[in-house]
Amino acid sequence: MEDLAKNEKRRVRSLLEQIIRHLLLYQYWDLEKQRNTNHCAAEIISFRNQVNEDLSANLRNYLEKNFSIIYSNGLDYVKAKTDLTDLPELCPYTLEQILDKNWLP
């Protein structure tokens, strides 16, 4: 049972990081915006659907407690992928926005 809980935490954490990565790319990667906007939006929808299917109150609390480190990991990925230097060090999105199926920056 404990392994199942760890796997669920790992899964929602990974999905949240993927959403954050794609939100940052969608909002800030102007060089590739024309070519990647639809791809990023589609990925955001897919990851949101997956995380919202699995999200319980306990898992949401887990994400809230680990939000800054999850954002930091996503930010590191986007910096490495894009060489962007003007990305916000603190997450510009709330957890509610990130999980909202109809919200994009």
Side-chain angles (χ1 to χ4, degrees):
M1 196 66 143
E2 190 175 314
D3 286 342
L4 182 60
K6 283 182 184 178
N7 286 339
E8 288 176 344
K9 286 179 180 177
R10 194 174 303 121
R11 176 174 161 72
V12 296
R13 181 183 180 132
S14 174
L15 289 167
L16 186 66
E17 183 180 329
Q18 290 292 334
I19 297 168
I20 289 169
R21 288 177 183 183
H22 284 85
L23 286 170
L24 289 170
L25 292 169
Y26 181 91
Q27 184 172 5
Y28 293 101
W29 203 13
D30 292 331
L31 183 65
E32 296 290 327
K33 187 166 264 183
Q34 186 175 8
R35 191 167 49 178
N36 286 317
T37 296
N38 289 341
H39 170 77
C40 286
E43 290 292 286
I44 291 165
I45 290 167
S46 176
F47 293 130
R48 279 178 174 161
N49 287 341
Q50 292 176 62
V51 76
N52 283 320
E53 283 177 16
D54 296 335
L55 201 58
S56 65
N58 285 341
L59 289 173
R60 186 181 182 96
N61 290 338
Y62 171 78
L63 292 178
E64 288 171 354
K65 281 176 49 176
N66 292 279
F67 190 70
S68 61
I69 190 72
I70 297 168
Y71 176 75
S72 178
N73 290 342
L75 180 63
D76 290 345
Y77 173 89
V78 172
K79 284 180 177 178
K81 180 178 179 86
T82 64
D83 288 327
L84 292 173
T85 58
D86 61 343
L87 295 166
E89 291 300 317
L90 297 176
C91 188
Y93 323 118
T94 65
L95 183 58
E96 290 74 27
Q97 288 173 321
I98 293 170
L99 298 176
D100 182 344
K101 289 176 71 167
N102 298 311
W103 183 84
L104 287 171

